[in-house]
Amino acid sequence: MRRIDLIVVHCSATREDRPFTEQDLETAHRLRGFDGIGYHFYVRRNGDIKSTRLVERVGAHMRGHNANSIGICYEGGLDCHGVAKDTRTEWQRHSLRVLVRALKMDYPEARVVGHRDLSPDVNGNGEVEPMEWTKECPCFEVKEERW
């Protein structure tokens, strides 16, 4: 088994008023040249947790961090106009919490971060600030969640 020190939360960057199934996600990732879905888990709006890649397999979700991380993606992240927004339903919030807690039991040393939290610290002050984000994903503050 590989060493896991990060659990990275993502959004699918899809609109809250349109479904985006795991099959849609797989098609999108294959069109980008991936060998299947790059995330290990996908959380649908109804709270269903889909296992989309074996945890033992290196992910394709966070350049520079795939070898030592687990990727979780939730369906949504954009409002009905295509603007970044925390669109998580109550079911998704619950399922994300349950999933992250279960993963932390297996990987207690792993830090839980959002995709944007791994953006480069351009000004070198030791903190990745909103102006430095390469993406807004996952469209909420992961560090403020009670995992």
Side-chain angles (χ1 to χ4, degrees):
M1 180 57 193
R2 58 197 182 94
R3 190 180 112 261
I4 303 297
D5 59 18
L6 287 173
I7 298 169
V8 185
V9 181
H10 303 263
C11 67
S12 62
T14 54
R15 291 171 44 152
E16 66 184 336
D17 60 342
R18 298 181 187 164
F20 196 71
T21 67
E22 59 273 18
Q23 291 82 15
D24 295 328
L25 182 60
E26 175 148 7
T27 298
H29 279 206
R30 287 192 182 277
L31 287 172
R32 292 177 59 195
F34 297 170
D35 179 20
I37 295 174
Y39 309 111
H40 296 91
F41 299 96
Y42 187 51
V43 181
R44 298 294 314 274
R45 283 190 179 89
N46 65 1
D48 284 354
I49 299 171
K50 305 294 184 177
S51 179
T52 51
R53 181 180 283 248
L54 293 174
V55 171
E56 294 79 18
R57 272 184 76 201
V58 172
H61 60 93
M62 191 67 232
R63 185 174 303 204
H65 299 279
N66 288 319
N68 61 318
S69 67
I70 293 173
I72 302 171
C73 180
Y74 76 91
E75 178 184 7
L78 302 178
D79 69 13
C80 62
H81 304 289
V83 177
K85 174 186 171 189
D86 181 359
T87 62
R88 293 174 298 157
T89 64
E90 286 305 312
W91 297 292
Q92 283 175 310
R93 290 175 194 273
H94 174 77
S95 293
L96 282 166
R97 193 172 309 114
V98 167
L99 177 57
V100 169
R101 285 179 180 172
L103 291 169
K104 288 287 287 175
M105 289 176 72
D106 289 338
Y107 310 100
E109 302 301 315
R111 281 187 314 131
V112 183
V113 298
H115 183 158
R116 67 188 187 190
D117 300 322
L118 297 174
S119 299
D121 179 15
V122 177
N123 64 11
N125 70 351
E127 181 181 341
V128 177
E129 299 159 302
M131 65 189 171
E132 297 171 307
W133 294 340
T134 54
K135 293 182 174 190
E136 291 191 51
C137 173
C139 303
F140 71 94
E141 283 292 339
V142 170
K143 63 186 171 198
E144 292 179 8
E145 296 292 311
R146 292 183 338 175
W147 303 113

